[in-house]
Amino acid sequence: MDEITLDTSVAGQLQDLVINSQDVNGFLAEFCELSADSLSRTLGQDVSCAVTLNRNHRTTTAAWSNPEARLFDEIQQNYGDGPCLHAMSTGTTVLVRDTRADSRWPEYGLAVASLGQLSVLGVPLTLDSGASAALNVFAPAPDVFRTAAIQKAELFALQAEKALRLAVRISVQQQLAEDLRSAMESRTAIDLAAGIIMGQNRCSQSEAMAILTKASSGRNLKLRVVAEKLVQSFTPGSPSTHFEG
């Protein structure tokens, strides 16, 4: 019963993160801190967490619970392989009991061991098509992640997946809305500028657009920028001036 109560609490905290975070990166940063805090209490010792994110065929360290975790994760990317990257590509949890003795990624293991990290756990995070991620957990002692701790991390990741997918979708929708708003503002400025030119030069809309396009090309400025400058400079009642590019 205590375990179920704890998991429900974590799920609620993750949902709150989605609501309160400004963007995906903000959510991931809070997620890393929440993961590190929860798993540290479970293990009885401090651990660090980082999230590796792959979108559009680009892999980056998207968030970390502390600066050291970012360094540990980026070292792995510099080597091009490691427990977290393997977990992300295969969709399976990867455990390194002792970074000094693991034969799968010996160079990476020795590199993080030299920085005091002797256990690593990589847990995949399943996202929508075109994106993948993994939670990296680093511990300063060997053989830290026993069965109960691994199950705890996997359950935590499972709960986080839904929240993370929602955060990604919200980010995409926000970007689409911003792009649409920008496009509408550009279209409005261009239409207003064309109307000004039509009134000043007594020409058709197509002729006004041709004048705007010529000015854009001649001044090496985007059509939207030329249109906005014209609209900003135009004030009703001012002496008539003809805009001819």
Side-chain angles (χ1 to χ4, degrees), residues 113-188:
S114 69
L115 297 174
Q117 303 306 300
L118 302 184
S119 296
V120 179
L121 183 67
V123 183
L125 296 167
T126 303
L127 304 182
D128 293 329
S129 178
S132 58
L135 172 66
N136 240 351
V137 189
F138 306 93
D143 206 17
V144 165
F145 304 108
R146 301 300 178 91
T147 300
I150 294 173
Q151 291 176 344
K152 174 76 174 181
E154 289 176 334
L155 181 58
F156 196 88
L158 181 64
Q159 292 171 330
E161 286 175 358
K162 294 181 180 180
L164 182 53
R165 283 198 295 267
L166 178 58
V168 170
R169 289 173 183 174
I170 290 174
S171 175
V172 170
Q173 292 302 317
Q174 288 174 336
Q175 185 60 53
L176 289 174
E178 180 63 24
D179 291 345
L180 178 59
R181 184 190 64 78
S182 179
M184 291 178 66
E185 289 180 352
S186 296
R187 186 69 259 173
T188 299

Side-chain angles (χ1 to χ4, degrees), residues 87-108:
M88 186 168 59
S89 64
T90 62
T92 59
T93 298
V94 176
L95 170 64
V96 176
R97 295 184 182 278
D98 192 331
T99 55
R100 300 166 297 183
D102 192 277
S103 61
R104 291 169 294 179
W105 307 283
E107 292 183 346
Y108 164 73

